[in-house]
Amino acid sequence: MPGERLILRSTSDIGRFPGAAPPTRVELSIQKSEEKKQEERGCRRWFRKICPCCCKRQNSTSHDITDKVEWTKESVSEPVKPKPENGETKDTEEGKLSVCSVDLLSSKTGQNRVEHHTDLYHGDELIIRRGQTFHMEMELNRPFNADTEKMHLELKTGLLPKVSKGTHVIIPLVKHLEDERWEAKITEQNGSKIKLSVNSPANAVIGLYGLTVTTRSLKDQTPTTHNSSKSVIMLFNPWCEEDAVFLDDEEQRKEYVLNDTGRIYYGTEKQIGARTWNFGQFHEGILEASLFILEKSDMAPSGRGDPVNVVRVISALINAQDDFGVLVGNWSGDYSGGVSPAAWSSSVEILRKYHSTNGTSVNYGQCWVFSGVTTTVLRCLGIPARSVTNFQSAHDTDVSLTTDVYFDENMEPIDHLNNDSVWNFHVWNDCWMARPDLPPGNGGWQAVDSTPQETSQGIFCCGPASISAIRSGHVYLKHDTPFVFAEVNSDKIYWKRNLDGTFSQIFTEKKAVGHCISTKAVGSDEREDITHLYKHQEDSEEERIAVETASRYGSKPDVYCAPAAEDVHVEVQLDGEGPKMGCDAKLSIVVKNMSSEPRQTTLHSQVAVMHYTGVLKNAIRKDQIPVELLPNEEKTIEWILPYHQYQNQLVDQAALMLSLCGRVNETKQVLANQTSFRLRTPDLSITPLNDAVVGKEMSAKITFTNPLPCTLKNVVFRVEGLGLQKGHEIIVGDVGSHSTVTLTEHFIPSQPGPRKLVASLDCKQLTQVHGVVDIVVREQ
């Protein structure tokens, strides 16, 4: 209803989803090696977008949810129960089915909150993370009969909830929960009381949802609705592999999501000071304030499923420069009418004051205050974040990617031109996420800066900028990568005005900016130096290449000498379909000299493990490869990564990225190449053993050989065939090195025509192993 307020309270329960019991008969044999079996399953992909056929829009107005997030602790009367119809009592079997009450199981100590890592938040609201199952209970006016009655849930967020935008979610009731979709399943039924397990996808819109339960009879199409007096708060989920903010290290999750205190560094590179900051993301009122900031932005609710959008909006709203955000920046030294930036030591008072005054900006902040508040809001919403301090931090005002100092003919500074500056220190934030909008390898830590320095697309915000892109000088990748690159790795260039009014470079400082980049260490109060994440070692060839690469995209592309020629080409080639899992990875680096002169270079190579989301996990090996080329010569260099160097490093899709860079000695041409590749896994072999006829038992043999020189632990097979047999799991256990597993499936086809029997293997050491066979089923 217009003006209706969303009320938040709570209770609990959770998990992923229960496996289906296999009704079919299976014969299993393992040749060479087999041992104990376990029922532990590997992580599964969870949720797909809801099927359009289930998304028939309800005939509801756009005012179900207000455009303002308002939380209240006022008591709310229970919804009015439906009156008996046609003179019948509500307890008779003929009475219309209705919901009497909904319990969201949202207590802090309950299963929902504990398993969703939201038990630290203040209050007893249902606070959950997307991509993870949660539970709820309902009391009906009589027992529910699935054969004659229907039930579904609806979640709505924002002013104009729409199914197409993901802000109006219709959750159907199903018999079996499936991956990657909004669904609900009855897990317990005791008379008129039922318990539901509800799936949410890992890309769901975050924020505050209103919940409605709709019931109807198959005979009577008129539905009965019940609006829950409590709401659901959905957050990002760093524990879910399918979420863009997934962080695969538990200790880092504890530090960058759950730790509510930290250290912020200041001073100079030779005199680094540290102060403790209370982030307080779980404190009373902070979650409300964080959601209020999102509501205050111009971002449509549908955009809140993408952490890139959310972080960019937070960057803009933490400062008050052009949108009445949280903090007013003040570097004047006069802090009358507010609090001195140095006096703050916590984000809590700032955010609560901003929220309680309905968005009146708080006085005053400087960079460490902006950063501390940003860390609080991002961690509160579920995005891993940390405060980062850069010493000797450059402020580039003209996008030249250099820090410029101008002198006149008499070597006197030209004040009106000297707009660039170098701060003793500057504090911003790193946040962790995949970047599917960028080339692979640019996910992971992203720089975001809420201090208002320069505008970005007309707004005072900065980031998220890929730290990997900054390190490589790839400043053409969004957002605001050139500005952050200049802060940490620009050269300081001194210019002198000539008599004719032009300027000439007279000196270049290559180590003037970007020193001792610092953040709090994981699990301790020690300072961790992360300069190596932002830039290559000073004066190294890779660092010089990054600087010169970046400068080409700035406003002064000719600051560094252009190459005399660009006549050397480098590329990486795969043999056939590429390297196989369990074997040495072999690639070919082809370097071609297209000139009539000899050429010489040194290629710097690095190979790193990569998540399928494009996030680089860690570097496995670095090498330097000298290359000498005769005129018009093409040289092929065999590059080998031995199995033992990657065997314990792989994740997800077994993907790796090989990065090459170098400079041609004679021409100063920069060479660069990035190639991602995966280690191919074997297919499952599936062979039908007899003819397929409806109603008659048939068999199929599934064969798999372990390609690795190590034992596969806790192997599980999943087999399914539409019209052939229901999906089920077969727990195999351990499979020894190079051992062969043979399964014989017995099943009875139920539908005629062309069918497919599909199978997959799941274990921690080996993923993406699957097989399929076509089976034509005849009528009996």
Side-chain angles (χ1 to χ4, degrees):
M1 302 302 136
E4 180 178 275
R5 299 172 66 180
L6 292 178
I7 313 297
L8 296 165
R9 299 201 199 134
S10 300
T11 336
S12 14
D13 265 62
I14 313 223
R16 296 202 176 165
F17 8 93
T24 55
R25 184 159 55 89
V26 181
E27 298 170 12
L28 163 67
S29 67
I30 303 180
Q31 299 170 13
K32 183 176 177 182
S33 173
E34 77 167 304
E35 288 210 353
K36 61 179 182 178
K37 301 179 181 179
Q38 286 187 332
E39 295 191 5
E40 183 78 26
R41 289 184 293 174
C43 289
R44 296 159 47 186
R45 298 193 52 172
W46 309 20
F47 308 97
R48 170 160 32 93
K49 284 186 177 179
I50 189 165
C51 176
C53 64
C54 300
C55 294
K56 191 179 292 182
R57 184 174 298 185
Q58 291 280 326
N59 188 21
S60 58
T61 72
S62 62
H63 297 287
D64 306 61
I65 308 292
T66 60
D67 62 332
K68 200 182 217 179
V69 177
E70 258 189 275
W71 294 23
T72 178
K73 300 299 179 186
E74 299 168 8
S75 62
V76 179
S77 58
E78 286 293 324
V80 178
K81 296 180 181 179
K83 295 179 180 179
E85 296 182 2
N86 302 325
E88 298 170 343
T89 67
K90 65 182 178 64
D91 293 318
T92 64
E93 276 304 305
E94 292 75 27
K96 180 176 287 190
L97 180 70
S98 63
V99 177
C100 299
S101 64
V102 174
D103 185 350
L104 295 181
L105 304 173
S106 55
S107 73
K108 291 177 66 173
T109 57
Q111 190 180 0
N112 275 337
R113 294 278 295 271
V114 170
E115 294 197 13
H116 282 249
H117 304 93
T118 60
D119 52 311
L120 296 175
Y121 287 91
H122 180 84
D124 282 335
E125 292 79 32
L126 179 58
I127 306 168
I128 56 175
R129 299 189 188 275
R130 64 186 193 175
Q132 193 169 339
T133 305
F134 64 96
H135 296 287
M136 57 192 295
E137 293 180 351
M138 293 182 197
E139 184 168 0
L140 309 175
N141 62 329
R142 57 174 173 75
F144 173 70
N145 186 339
D147 294 329
T148 60
E149 293 161 329
K150 292 290 185 181
M151 177 188 297
H152 71 263
L153 313 178
E154 293 187 39
L155 289 171
K156 297 180 183 179
T157 186
L159 178 61
L160 297 169
K162 293 183 178 180
V163 171
S164 60
K165 299 292 186 181
T167 53
H168 178 184
V169 178
I170 299 174
I171 307 174
L173 202 62
V174 297
K175 292 183 178 179
H176 303 286
L177 294 178
E178 295 186 15
D179 297 358
E180 303 179 24
R181 60 175 69 181
W182 282 103
E183 285 182 337
K185 173 188 174 182
I186 296 177
T187 55
E188 292 181 24
Q189 184 164 357
N190 184 11
S192 61
K193 294 183 178 180
I194 61 175
K195 186 172 183 179
L196 297 174
S197 288
V198 184
N199 276 356
S200 67
N203 61 352
V205 170
I206 68 156
L208 187 64
Y209 286 85
L211 172 66
T212 301
V213 184
T214 300
T215 56
R216 65 178 176 84
S217 167
L218 294 180
K219 295 180 179 178
D220 181 6
Q221 295 297 316
T222 307
T224 299
T225 60
H226 175 91
N227 296 316
S228 172
S229 60
K230 288 188 178 181
S231 301
V232 177
I233 305 166
M234 183 74 76
L235 303 177
F236 291 105
N237 193 350
W239 285 266
C240 172
E241 291 185 16
E242 302 304 316
D243 198 311
V245 302
F246 171 65
L247 185 59
D248 68 349
D249 185 287
E250 179 60 24
E251 292 306 309
Q252 290 187 1
R253 289 193 290 254
K254 289 178 182 177
E255 180 67 51
Y256 300 133
V257 182
L258 301 181
N259 194 351
D260 58 2
T261 61
R263 305 276 276 176
I264 296 179
Y265 299 93
Y266 64 95
T268 68
E269 59 181 298
K270 294 182 179 178
Q271 295 172 303
I272 297 176
R275 61 182 300 163
T276 298
W277 192 272
N278 291 323
F279 299 122
Q281 67 267 33
F282 306 117
H283 200 281
E284 182 179 6
I286 300 305
L287 180 54
E288 294 95 322
S290 299
L291 293 175
F292 172 75
I293 291 169
L294 285 183
E295 290 286 342
K296 198 172 183 295
S297 72
D298 292 331
M299 178 175 59
S302 59
R304 296 177 198 161
D306 183 355
V308 175
N309 290 342
V310 170
V311 164
R312 192 152 173 80
V313 164
I314 295 300
S315 165
L317 264 294
I318 295 302
N319 71 72
Q321 197 71 15
D322 45 20
D323 46 21
F324 303 103
V326 177
L327 274 164
V328 176
N330 187 344
W331 288 264
S332 70
D334 178 8
Y335 306 119
S336 55
V339 176
S340 166
W344 298 113
S345 59
S346 170
S347 306
V348 173
E349 183 182 349
I350 295 169
L351 287 168
R352 292 181 68 179
K353 186 174 182 180
Y354 181 70
H355 185 213
S356 66
T357 59
N358 199 32
T360 300
S361 302
V362 178
N363 299 335
Y364 294 103
Q366 290 183 8
C367 64
W368 63 90
V369 188
F370 289 110
S371 174
V373 174
T374 300
T375 300
T376 299
V377 174
L378 295 183
R379 288 186 183 181
C380 185
L381 296 177
I383 299 175
R386 61 190 184 189
S387 290
V388 171
T389 302
N390 178 40
F391 293 93
Q392 293 297 102
S393 186
H395 181 176
D396 175 26
T397 59
D398 61 359
V399 202
S400 65
L401 286 305
T402 56
T403 302
D404 300 299
V405 183
Y406 293 92
F407 296 92
D408 64 15
E409 299 87 345
N410 300 316
M411 290 303 293
E412 294 293 331
I414 306 175
D415 292 338
H416 72 276
L417 293 180
N418 290 328
N419 297 316
D420 291 353
S421 59
V422 177
W423 299 19
N424 285 340
F425 73 95
H426 180 49
V427 189
W428 63 72
N429 293 86
D430 285 348
C431 57
W432 181 274
M433 66 183 70
R435 289 299 299 272
D437 56 325
L438 302 182
N442 289 292
W445 288 116
Q446 313 288 312
V448 56
D449 193 347
S450 299
T451 301
Q453 296 179 88
E454 298 291 329
T455 58
S456 171
Q457 296 176 317
I459 298 172
F460 280 94
C461 64
C462 180
S466 166
I467 290 179
S468 175
I470 293 165
R471 190 172 189 262
S472 302
H474 297 163
V475 296
Y476 48 85
L477 299 174
K478 60 185 181 182
H479 294 277
D480 309 309
T481 311
F483 185 80
V484 184
F485 178 90
E487 287 182 300
V488 300
N489 205 16
S490 58
D491 284 351
K492 192 171 186 179
I493 299 181
Y494 295 80
W495 301 81
K496 181 183 177 182
R497 187 166 61 194
N498 302 317
L499 292 175
D500 61 0
T502 61
F503 285 88
S504 299
Q505 298 180 45
I506 57 173
F507 182 65
T508 300
E509 276 189 87
K510 298 179 179 179
K511 302 179 185 179
V513 305
H515 299 163
C516 303
I517 303 176
S518 303
T519 191
K520 177 187 172 299
V522 172
S524 79
D525 284 337
E526 297 299 313
R527 181 182 69 89
E528 181 182 358
D529 192 306
I530 58 171
T531 308
H532 64 284
L533 298 181
Y534 275 87
K535 58 199 290 190
H536 294 281
Q537 185 177 348
E538 292 283 8
D539 279 342
S540 67
E541 186 73 4
E542 299 102 311
E543 189 263 345
R544 286 291 89 198
I545 289 172
V547 170
E548 295 180 26
T549 298
S551 71
R552 295 184 186 182
Y553 297 93
S555 60
K556 298 177 182 175
D558 300 323
V559 165
Y560 301 96
C561 294
E566 295 189 348
D567 47 27
V568 177
H569 179 72
V570 61
E571 67 173 318
V572 176
Q573 297 178 350
L574 302 181
D575 243 358
E577 296 182 347
K580 293 182 179 180
M581 174 71 77
C583 302
D584 294 349
K586 297 180 180 180
L587 283 73
S588 298
I589 301 172
V590 180
V591 188
K592 185 175 183 180
N593 177 12
M594 296 176 286
S595 77
S596 56
E597 301 290 334
R599 295 287 184 253
Q600 194 173 48
T601 186
T602 297
L603 291 176
H604 301 266
S605 72
Q606 172 184 292
V607 62
V609 174
M610 186 169 67
H611 289 273
Y612 79 95
T613 55
V615 176
L616 293 181
K617 182 185 178 188
N618 58 279
I620 296 176
R621 197 182 79 195
K622 296 181 179 180
D623 294 303
Q624 293 186 11
I625 307 169
V627 182
E628 294 186 9
L629 296 168
L630 297 173
N632 298 304
E633 181 184 11
E634 179 177 294
K635 185 170 286 187
T636 299
I637 303 163
E638 189 177 65
W639 182 88
I640 299 175
L641 179 67
Y643 169 72
H644 68 84
Q645 288 189 357
Y646 72 75
Q647 62 177 334
N648 297 319
Q649 304 289 330
L650 298 178
V651 294
D652 302 325
Q653 315 286 318
L656 298 166
M657 174 173 280
L658 175 63
S659 300
L660 300 171
C661 72
R663 188 200 306 270
V664 179
N665 295 352
E666 293 81 3
T667 64
K668 306 307 177 186
Q669 175 190 353
V670 169
L671 304 174
N673 181 281
Q674 283 191 320
T675 302
S676 58
F677 62 96
R678 71 177 184 89
L679 298 159
R680 291 190 298 114
T681 50
D683 292 330
L684 297 179
S685 172
I686 307 177
T687 307
L689 298 180
N690 50 317
D691 291 339
V693 180
V694 173
K696 289 189 176 182
E697 182 177 287
M698 70 167 295
S699 303
K701 183 173 70 174
I702 304 173
T703 305
F704 164 74
T705 299
N706 176 9
L708 305 184
C710 65
T711 299
L712 300 180
K713 299 288 187 179
N714 306 322
V715 173
V716 176
F717 280 79
R718 300 194 72 204
V719 184
E720 182 178 10
L722 298 178
L724 298 173
Q725 65 168 342
K726 292 182 179 179
H728 66 283
E729 292 186 346
I730 306 160
I731 299 172
V732 175
D734 295 351
V735 178
S737 167
H738 302 297
S739 296
T740 297
V741 178
T742 301
L743 302 175
T744 303
E745 283 280 295
H746 301 272
F747 51 93
I748 300 175
S750 58
Q751 296 179 14
R755 300 288 159 189
K756 291 182 184 292
L757 184 67
V758 296
S760 63
L761 176 147
D762 185 21
C763 77
K764 187 174 183 180
Q765 301 100 318
L766 198 61
T767 61
Q768 297 298 312
V769 177
H770 41 76
V772 61
V773 67
D774 292 313
I775 296 176
V776 178
V777 181
R778 296 185 290 106
E779 291 277 13
Q780 189 170 359

